[in-house]
Amino acid sequence: MGSHFRSYIWDPVLILSQILLMQCIYYSFLGLWLAVVDSLVQTNRSLDQIFSYEVLGFATMQGRLSMMAFILNSLTCALGLLFFIRRGKQCLDFTITVHFFHMIGCWLYNAHLPAALSWWLVNVACMALMAVIGEYLCMRTELRAIPVNSGPKSNL
């Protein structure tokens, strides 16, 4: 068996650590963005902003700003995909995994699945943004030209 360029090796420890890292990035930056938004409008921070589906809504200023924080978070998570996943074809997998675990967290926090249409729309939009931008950034680096060091040429 010859070696293949970027052959895929099954490494469950690597995959689990990448999932854990992406979850940490997701919640860390979401908390950061929500703190920035809360400081702009002088509101109190709570876990409801992250896990309660009732907070996300078009009707209130707080709901619209929370939506903005989720959108900005998807952009920073796309950078996380670039720096830590580095494979364009795995961006969608990790994006769906992060949002799936977020949905499970919301389900546990609220004791039922999120029922608000705005929650589903925001999360689907965030999934699309994170996956597409992350894949674009990863593919851009994957397609970068590989420099070939050519030593001094000898005349034979």
Side-chain angles (χ1 to χ4, degrees):
M1 294 286 225
S3 65
H4 294 96
F5 177 72
R6 284 202 180 195
S7 62
Y8 183 75
I9 299 171
W10 172 249
D11 188 2
V13 175
L14 174 66
I15 294 170
L16 289 175
S17 62
Q18 286 176 323
I19 290 172
L20 182 64
L21 179 65
M22 287 306 298
Q23 286 301 132
C24 290
I25 289 170
Y26 181 81
Y27 287 118
S28 300
F29 280 101
L30 181 57
L32 179 73
W33 286 117
L34 285 169
V36 168
V37 165
D38 289 342
S39 68
L40 292 175
V41 292
Q42 310 298 323
T43 59
N44 295 329
R45 293 173 196 87
S46 73
L47 280 178
D48 283 346
Q49 291 177 300
I50 296 174
F51 293 111
S52 179
Y53 64 88
E54 294 157 346
V55 172
L56 293 176
F58 296 103
T60 65
M61 177 61 98
Q62 178 64 31
R64 289 190 297 268
L65 289 173
S66 293
M67 286 182 189
M68 184 180 73
F70 272 85
I71 300 281
L72 291 171
N73 187 46
S74 65
L75 301 177
T76 53
C77 286
L79 291 174
L81 291 171
L82 170 66
F83 291 119
F84 300 110
I85 306 305
R86 297 181 179 234
R87 297 289 306 268
K89 68 182 195 174
Q90 292 179 337
C91 286
L92 181 62
D93 299 337
F94 280 95
T95 299
I96 290 174
T97 303
V98 163
H99 285 85
F100 176 74
F101 283 129
H102 178 65
M103 184 187 71
I104 297 296
C106 291
W107 189 0
L108 293 173
Y109 186 81
N110 296 302
H112 52 70
L113 276 173
L117 179 63
S118 59
W119 187 90
W120 289 101
L121 290 175
V122 167
N123 280 286
V124 167
C126 288
M127 272 194 286
L129 276 173
M130 184 175 160
V132 169
I133 294 171
E135 191 168 333
Y136 170 75
L137 294 172
C138 288
M139 293 296 267
R140 204 176 88 201
T141 59
E142 284 177 354
L143 295 175
R144 197 175 286 158
I146 300 172
V148 178
N149 265 345
S150 58
K153 296 182 181 179
S154 62
N155 292 332
L156 295 176

